[in-house]
């Protein structure tokens, strides 16, 4: 049973090639580990950082390694409310990842649909959709997100809306490029000659074949969404203070940095950077593997 | 050639009109325009006067038309917080932002392009790998966090540079500039460095990719065969050939740097337009927000237009096709 010959599926070939890059494999492990830590945060952190009644003011602004009044060591120190930084980081990661993944998923769906529809119908519809997308891409994403977050106010859904608006255009652009190529191929002509509905051709035939470039854009955009969310929260335009993401933790620590209490801002920042760099490294490897021009 | 320019200018005007409709709908029609234009502290008399002055009792199409007319005249209303015309407020803050942005983008280009060319010319040396490592770092790490680290390292711990504000300025052509005084330069250094890191990373990547491609072309082969020195080849041929994407990015980045300046200005308390817009958002100073939106849109359209036109001048192929 165990020595059954290995089947060379495309997924396995892809995985084997991915595995051969130690840097990318290490980055993937880091990403998975961080996500696991974030998901498990309520069970593994020594303290619930949002339970205000559990916070002791005497423990506030203590350096890393301080043993607090609750009896456990604050490995990364405490913030201005006596909150354990390590616990706050894990909870903050939870919020950051949740927001960015939701925004990324919506932006992916919206952008891919728009791009594929534009490529499928062509003509006026294509011109109209792609003109709007091009126009939007000429403005920097952070500016759009900033303006929207300001207009819509604080909260989870305004923030997600701002992120989606800033990012869907990248997905639409990529899908349109890939879908326009697929559209002219024979198998789509064949599908069109059968009485299949337009939506079936778009979603079952064109879109699945546009997935490789979309996956690459998706990894990059998730990393961007995390950075963008942190930036908006840092500027006070993101989530309300009751549910701090990493950006807000960094913002809260900013004022104490000038008096040398670096740990309140620096450690959440390091967590943020490790996550973003790891996702980018995985994305780089996936892009190289999916790029037919680099195929040997 | 002239036809092309006219065509692009017309397109830009149409886009600007569309954006003005969006801003009008977003801020005036969806929100309550009375709240937008009149301070909540205003007396009943002022309220009525303003409603009349801004024609809020008029039908919507007429309101939009009046809004457009006011925009063209540069009348964006008055700031609630500073109690002065918004347009004057923005222009008083603009030099600080322009100075910061230009310093950052110029610094990033002047340093990034030669380093990128080197990294593309000798891709396997240790120095090249270090340059690329720095560029990946500059790409991945969020601007605001680098700003914090810079403040902590160079201002708080080492005490070499001031942690924020603009410091002393000197007057030139009636505008206050930091770079004219020695102390002002010290204040300018950290924010400019912070803002330029991302652009630097981008310039390095662009120059490196362009150089690697160009070094393989016949141009370089023939230049070598004719006995030109390597330095001359890099300067006369490679730099010229990679200049088109670099000019594009330089132009486009000038605009997006303005957007990133919002973050840098907030961290370093740099009194520019970016800090102004963040302050206006937190104090709900909506006339300032509307004005900022329209001016930034205008700026971006102008930049795109300029880049398009410069492109045609730089690339003979485009010039011949268009004319």
């Amino acid at each position: 049973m165990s020595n059954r010959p290995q089947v060379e599926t495309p997924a396995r070939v892809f995985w084997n090639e991915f595995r051969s890059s130690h840097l990318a494999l290490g980055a993937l492990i880091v990403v998975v580990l961080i996500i696991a830590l974030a998901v498990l945060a309520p069970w593994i952190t020594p303290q619930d950082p949002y339970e205000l009644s559990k916070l002791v003011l005497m423990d506030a602004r203590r350096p890393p390694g301080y043993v607090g009044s609750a009896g456990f060591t604050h490995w990364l120190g405490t913030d201005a409310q006596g909150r354990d930084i390590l616990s706050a980081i894990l909870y903050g990661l939870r919020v950051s990842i949740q927001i960015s993944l939701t925004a990324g998923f919506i932006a992916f769906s919206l952008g891919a649909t728009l791009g594929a529809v534009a490529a499928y119908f062509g003509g006026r519809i294509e011109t109209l959709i792609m003109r709007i997308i091009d126009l939007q891409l000429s403005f920097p994403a952070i500016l759009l997100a900033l303006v929207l977050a300001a207009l819509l106010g604080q909260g989870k859904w305004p923030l997600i809306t701002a992120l989606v608006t800033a990012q869907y255009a990248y997905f639409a652009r990529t899908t349109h490029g890939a879908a326009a190529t697929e559209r002219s191929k024979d198998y789509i002509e064949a599908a069109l000659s059968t009485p299949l509905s337009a939506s079936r051709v778009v979603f079952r035939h064109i879109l699945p074949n546009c997935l490789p470039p979309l996956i690459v854009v998706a990894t990059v955009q998730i990393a961007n969404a995390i950075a963008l969310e942190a930036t908006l929260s840092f500027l006070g335009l993101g989530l309300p203070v009751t549910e701090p993401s990493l950006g807000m933790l960094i913002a809260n620590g900013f004022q104490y940095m000038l008096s040398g209490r670096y740990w309140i801002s620096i450690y959440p920042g390091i967590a943020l950077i490790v996550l973003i760099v790891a996702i980018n490294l995985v994305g780089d490897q996936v892009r190289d593997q999916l790029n037919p021009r680099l195929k040997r | 050639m002239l036809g092309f320019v006219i065509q692009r200018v017309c397109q830009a005007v149409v886009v600007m009109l569309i954006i003005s409709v969006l801003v009008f709908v977003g801020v005036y029609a969806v929100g309550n325009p009375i709240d937008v234009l009149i301070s909540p502290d205003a007396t009943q008399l002022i309220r009525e006067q303003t409603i009349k002055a801004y024609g809020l009792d008029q039908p919507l199409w007429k309101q939009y038309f009046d809004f457009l007319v006011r925009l063209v005249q540069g009348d964006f209303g008055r700031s609630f917080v500073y109690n002065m015309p918004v347009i004057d407020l923005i222009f008083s803050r603009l030099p600080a932002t322009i100075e910061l942005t230009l310093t950052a983008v110029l610094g990033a280009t002047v340093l990034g392009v030669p380093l990128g060319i080197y990294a593309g010319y000798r891709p396997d040396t240790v120095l090249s790998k270090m340059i690329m490592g720095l560029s990946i770092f500059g790409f991945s790490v969020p601007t605001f966090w680098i700003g914090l680290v810079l403040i902590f390292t160079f201002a708080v711990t080492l005490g070499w540079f001031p942690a924020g504000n603009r410091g002393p300025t000197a007057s030139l052509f009636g505008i206050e500039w930091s770079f004219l005084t020695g102390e002002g330069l010290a204040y300018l250094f950290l924010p400019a460095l912070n803002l330029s890191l991302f652009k630097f990373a981008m310039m390095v990547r662009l120059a490196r990719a362009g150089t690697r491609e160009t070094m393989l072309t016949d141009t370089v082969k023939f230049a070598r065969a004719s006995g030109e020195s390597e330095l001359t080849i890099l300067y006369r041929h490679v730099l010229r050939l990679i200049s088109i994407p670099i000019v594009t990015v330089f132009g486009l980045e000038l605009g997006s740097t303005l957007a990133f300046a919002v973050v840098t200005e907030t961290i370093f308390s740099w009194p520019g337009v970016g800090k102004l817009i963040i302050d206006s958002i937190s104090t709900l100073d909506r006339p300032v927000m509307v004005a900022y939106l329209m001016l930034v849109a205008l700026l971006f359209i102008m930049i795109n237009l300029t880049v398009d036109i410069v492109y045609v001048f730089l690339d003979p192929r485009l010039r011949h096709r268009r004319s």
Side-chain angles (χ1 to χ4, degrees):
Chain A
M1 244 259 319
S2 58
N3 51 13
R4 196 176 50 178
Q6 291 246 319
V7 186
E8 285 282 289
T9 63
R12 183 165 287 150
V13 171
F14 188 85
W15 170 241
N16 281 337
E17 199 184 332
F18 187 89
R19 215 170 45 173
S20 64
S21 162
H22 296 292
L23 187 65
L25 188 65
L28 183 66
I29 292 172
V30 169
V31 173
V32 172
L33 206 69
I34 288 180
I35 292 175
L37 282 175
V39 171
L40 296 174
W43 293 279
I44 54 173
T45 52
Q47 184 191 52
D48 181 354
Y50 306 146
E51 184 88 48
L52 291 173
S53 59
K54 292 268 177 62
L55 303 178
V56 184
L57 217 54
M58 212 180 69
D59 291 342
R61 297 189 291 276
R62 299 291 184 178
Y66 169 81
V67 181
S69 51
F72 59 87
T73 314
H74 298 287
W75 292 110
L76 299 182
T78 60
D79 75 357
Q81 278 90 44
R83 199 177 273 143
D84 179 41
I85 297 282
L86 182 61
S87 310
I89 289 177
L90 293 187
Y91 272 81
L93 275 172
R94 227 173 127 83
V95 179
S96 293
I97 293 174
Q98 197 190 348
I99 299 266
S100 339
L101 280 184
T102 314
F105 179 76
I106 299 174
F108 187 109
S109 317
L110 185 67
T113 308
L114 274 177
V117 163
Y120 175 84
F121 287 106
R124 286 243 174 104
I125 298 177
E126 183 177 30
T127 316
L128 181 70
I129 293 180
M130 293 324 289
R131 263 291 152 84
I132 294 173
I133 303 267
D134 280 343
L135 177 65
Q136 218 200 303
L137 283 175
S138 67
F139 290 87
I142 185 173
L143 203 67
L144 285 174
L146 198 80
V147 167
L148 265 173
L151 286 177
L152 298 172
Q154 281 194 334
K156 199 178 266 183
W157 285 106
L159 182 60
I160 290 176
T161 312
L163 291 178
V164 168
T165 315
Q167 297 198 307
Y168 85 96
Y170 295 93
F171 290 102
R173 177 92 259 184
T174 313
T175 316
H176 176 252
T181 320
E182 295 301 320
R183 175 74 176 79
S184 59
K185 289 188 180 161
D186 286 345
Y187 77 97
I188 296 296
E189 287 303 322
L192 286 175
S193 65
T194 61
L196 290 176
S197 69
S199 71
R200 197 176 163 85
V201 173
V202 169
F203 288 102
R204 292 295 295 275
H205 296 277
I206 296 182
L207 265 184
N209 284 300
C210 302
L211 270 183
L214 269 176
I215 291 169
V216 175
V217 175
T219 38
V220 175
Q221 289 303 325
I222 295 282
N224 279 349
I226 293 172
L228 200 54
E229 185 276 325
T231 306
L232 290 179
S233 294
F234 177 81
L235 293 173
L237 297 169
L239 295 169
V241 202
T242 47
E243 211 175 339
S245 68
L246 286 178
M248 191 164 286
L249 286 176
I250 297 169
N252 290 342
F254 181 37
Q255 46 179 318
Y256 301 104
M257 196 173 237
L258 296 178
S259 54
R261 296 190 179 86
Y262 63 91
W263 57 90
I264 309 177
S265 271
I266 295 289
Y267 290 129
I270 291 177
L272 183 73
I273 287 162
V274 170
L275 181 61
I276 293 174
V277 171
I279 294 178
N280 277 332
L281 285 175
V282 172
D284 271 357
Q285 177 68 23
V286 173
R287 181 180 52 212
D288 286 353
Q289 275 182 236
L290 290 177
N291 188 350
R293 267 180 296 178
L294 291 176
K295 274 275 179 287
R296 289 158 298 270
Chain B
M1 188 63 219
L2 189 68
F4 170 70
V5 174
I6 291 172
Q7 185 200 342
R8 292 311 318 243
V9 170
C10 289
Q11 275 182 15
V13 171
V14 170
V15 169
M16 202 59 212
L17 275 174
I18 295 172
I19 289 174
S20 76
V21 172
L22 289 178
V23 170
F24 177 78
V25 171
V27 181
Y28 283 67
V30 175
N32 185 351
I34 297 172
D35 293 343
V36 174
L37 289 167
I38 307 166
S39 161
D41 314 329
T43 62
Q44 194 60 36
L45 190 68
I46 294 179
R47 272 180 87 86
E48 275 163 17
Q49 276 173 354
T50 320
I51 290 176
K52 209 152 196 80
Y54 283 97
L56 294 174
D57 42 0
Q58 305 285 324
L60 209 58
W61 65 268
K62 182 138 191 345
Q63 281 190 43
Y64 171 70
F65 186 73
D66 292 343
F67 168 77
L68 263 190
V69 170
R70 283 199 306 275
L71 280 189
V72 173
Q73 293 168 343
D75 176 7
F76 289 97
R78 292 176 80 84
S79 157
F80 305 153
V81 177
Y82 298 90
N83 196 26
M84 61 192 280
V86 171
I87 201 80
D88 295 350
L89 183 63
I90 288 184
F91 277 117
S92 75
R93 298 290 197 95
L94 209 52
T97 298
I98 290 176
E99 183 173 25
L100 179 64
T101 312
L102 272 182
T103 314
V105 178
L106 277 178
T109 312
V110 168
L111 272 177
V113 172
L115 288 179
I117 291 181
Y118 176 78
Y121 180 65
R122 291 260 178 275
D124 295 319
T125 61
V126 178
L127 184 62
S128 294
K129 294 213 163 113
M130 276 168 61
I131 294 170
M132 288 319 287
L134 190 65
S135 132
I136 290 171
F137 180 79
F139 247 134
S140 305
V141 182
T143 311
F144 75 97
W145 197 75
I146 295 190
L148 296 187
V149 174
L150 286 178
I151 290 182
F152 182 71
T153 317
F154 293 106
V156 179
T157 311
L158 297 171
W160 292 354
F161 296 101
N165 287 319
R166 201 177 174 196
T169 53
S171 187
L172 180 70
F173 307 125
I175 302 169
E176 299 292 317
W177 302 100
S178 290
F179 72 93
L180 295 173
T181 65
E183 213 182 322
L185 275 178
Y187 278 89
L188 181 61
F189 182 74
L190 282 187
L193 179 66
N194 180 218
L195 195 57
S196 69
L197 211 62
F198 186 84
K199 315 295 146 199
F200 169 79
M202 184 169 269
M203 286 298 175
V204 166
R205 282 195 166 202
L206 264 177
R208 177 177 179 267
T211 307
R212 286 194 76 171
E213 277 175 22
T214 315
M215 289 310 287
L216 300 173
T217 56
D218 289 343
T219 315
V220 173
K221 263 182 219 153
F222 284 118
R224 275 189 179 142
S226 73
E228 287 181 32
S229 77
E230 291 292 286
L231 208 64
T232 319
I233 292 174
L234 284 182
Y235 177 73
R236 292 260 301 269
H237 301 291
V238 175
L239 184 63
R240 199 172 286 183
L241 281 171
I242 64 173
S243 67
I244 286 183
I246 287 177
V247 167
T248 318
V249 171
F250 184 89
L252 293 176
E253 286 307 297
L254 213 59
S256 84
T257 312
L258 208 85
F260 276 100
V262 172
V263 179
T264 302
E265 285 179 7
T266 310
I267 297 169
F268 289 92
S269 310
W270 187 261
V273 187
K275 177 118 177 44
L276 176 68
I277 184 70
I278 290 293
D279 291 346
S280 313
I281 288 170
S282 55
T283 53
L284 292 179
D285 200 351
R286 273 170 282 206
V288 179
M289 286 160 63
V290 174
Y292 180 83
L293 234 61
M294 292 308 299
L295 287 177
V296 167
L298 182 67
L299 182 85
F300 266 92
I301 287 163
M302 300 290 277
I303 289 174
N304 281 325
L305 187 66
T306 316
V307 168
D308 274 355
I309 293 172
V310 171
Y311 229 66
V312 178
F313 277 105
L314 273 182
D315 192 336
R317 285 168 301 183
L318 289 177
R319 193 161 54 222
H320 291 306
R321 201 171 57 205
R322 289 258 155 68
S323 61

